Amino acid sequence: QVQLVESGGGSVQAGGSLNLSCAASGLTSGSTCLGWFRQAPGNKREAVASISTGGGSTYYADSVKGRFAISRDNAKNTLYLYLQMNSLKPEDTSMYYCAARRLCSVAITSPSLYNYWGQGTQVTVSS
């Protein structure tokens, strides 16, 4: 059974940092792509960052380039996905979700291509 569990969200002031984590169990590290998405009320879910199977290829939304860093740890039984978020802005306020796709090798950005989703973790940035 596949399960994705996010943690690390919270409330910070603008300019602050947060580190999101996602534990993905039930997946094979050698063929699973991972990504972070966010969705604010009334908005579409958008890709924030994604990472290929081996971590060699990454994608960042223009709005977060230079501030966010995605990484992964391909442990034996559980995959770990991280998102280090620095220099946070009020516009980064959103629910953040991690996502996984099986039988994949590259960094992908379309939400429709991911098979599994976590429940989300709220990030709130105040000015």
Side-chain angles (χ1 to χ4, degrees):
Q1 182 178 355
V2 176
Q3 187 175 20
L4 279 67
V5 180
E6 302 100 333
S7 61
S11 297
V12 296
Q13 290 191 328
S17 298
L18 285 172
N19 189 21
L20 303 185
S21 299
C22 174
S25 57
L27 294 165
T28 303
S29 63
S31 62
T32 300
C33 299
L34 300 169
W36 286 102
F37 290 77
R38 65 187 181 188
Q39 187 172 18
N43 291 350
K44 291 182 178 180
R45 189 166 295 190
E46 63 174 351
V48 176
S50 61
I51 189 166
S52 60
T53 301
S57 176
T58 57
Y59 160 86
Y60 292 97
D62 288 343
S63 59
V64 307
K65 282 181 181 176
R67 300 189 297 122
F68 291 10
I70 189 171
S71 60
R72 63 185 289 166
D73 180 359
N74 292 339
K76 186 175 182 179
N77 297 314
T78 301
L79 303 181
Y80 294 94
L81 180 67
Y82 305 100
L83 186 68
Q84 177 65 43
M85 305 188 295
N86 299 323
S87 302
L88 283 162
K89 302 176 181 181
E91 50 263 44
D92 294 318
T93 295
S94 191
M95 185 72 79
Y96 284 71
Y97 300 89
C98 71
R101 175 182 169 86
R102 278 179 165 161
L103 301 178
C104 169
S105 61
V106 298
I108 55 177
T109 61
S110 174
S112 64
L113 295 179
Y114 283 86
N115 307 118
Y116 306 100
W117 293 86
Q119 82 289 347
T121 186
Q122 177 69 36
V123 171
T124 302
V125 185
S126 59
S127 58

